[in-house]
Amino acid sequence: MTGPQQPSPSDRSDADGVERHTCPKCDAQPGSPCRSRGGAVASAYHTRRFTKVPRLAKLLRVPTPADRGPGRPWRPGTPPPAPIGPDLPSADIRIGYARCSTLGQELDSQLDALSKHGIPRDRTTARSPGATSGCSRTPKTAPST
């Protein structure tokens, strides 16, 4: 006797990609598998739903993974998290560090390079180890440590 077959990682990623969309046929909301007419979890996603995922659009059938419970009574799933707005803080926190330790290095050029990569000067720490280092200038906007 064998146990239930575990879905492969690609099956899971396909299912996650499909379940990001509402199903136009059965009205299953994002985060839920498709529903059959009998009220159970469908054995495969409906064509109009999985064709919304570009990499699956040309397939004829996308089966529902075993961990979604095909054939069992259908229940709404957990919707995917809403995207974070650009004005809200997110997990992508960027800080910069500029250091000047030789005569040939300029703090301004390093700070400019960091700002070109989207790191503002108020999120940049600059370090100039001492007067003997030969650093061309210490920035006024960045704290020295």
Side-chain angles (χ1 to χ4, degrees):
M1 180 173 182
T2 61
Q5 186 177 3
Q6 294 297 322
S8 71
S10 66
D11 288 344
R12 281 194 199 117
S13 66
D14 288 348
D16 292 341
V18 172
E19 290 180 8
R20 290 182 198 275
H21 305 282
T22 301
C23 182
K25 184 171 182 178
C26 68
D27 292 323
Q29 296 301 305
S32 301
C34 287
R35 240 185 332 245
S36 68
R37 281 186 233 145
V41 174
S43 63
Y45 292 103
H46 295 121
T47 305
R48 290 187 291 174
R49 188 177 192 188
F50 74 74
T51 55
K52 292 180 179 183
V53 181
R55 73 177 183 276
L56 304 175
K58 294 189 178 189
L59 297 178
L60 298 176
R61 186 173 191 273
V62 176
T64 303
D67 66 338
R68 304 298 205 268
R72 294 189 192 140
W74 184 88
R75 281 182 234 140
T78 306
I84 297 173
D87 56 331
L88 296 175
S90 67
D92 184 24
I93 298 173
R94 303 179 97 186
I95 58 171
Y97 177 75
R99 182 167 188 233
C100 185
S101 59
T102 66
L103 285 171
Q105 293 179 329
E106 293 181 29
L107 207 49
D108 283 332
S109 63
Q110 291 180 36
L111 293 171
D112 290 341
L114 288 169
S115 19
K116 284 180 186 176
H117 287 281
I119 303 170
R121 287 191 179 215
D122 65 336
R123 292 252 180 204
T124 303
T125 300
R127 181 172 284 174
S128 147
T132 59
S133 67
C135 185
S136 62
R137 104 169 187 56
T138 304
K140 294 176 185 170
T141 58
S144 291
T145 54

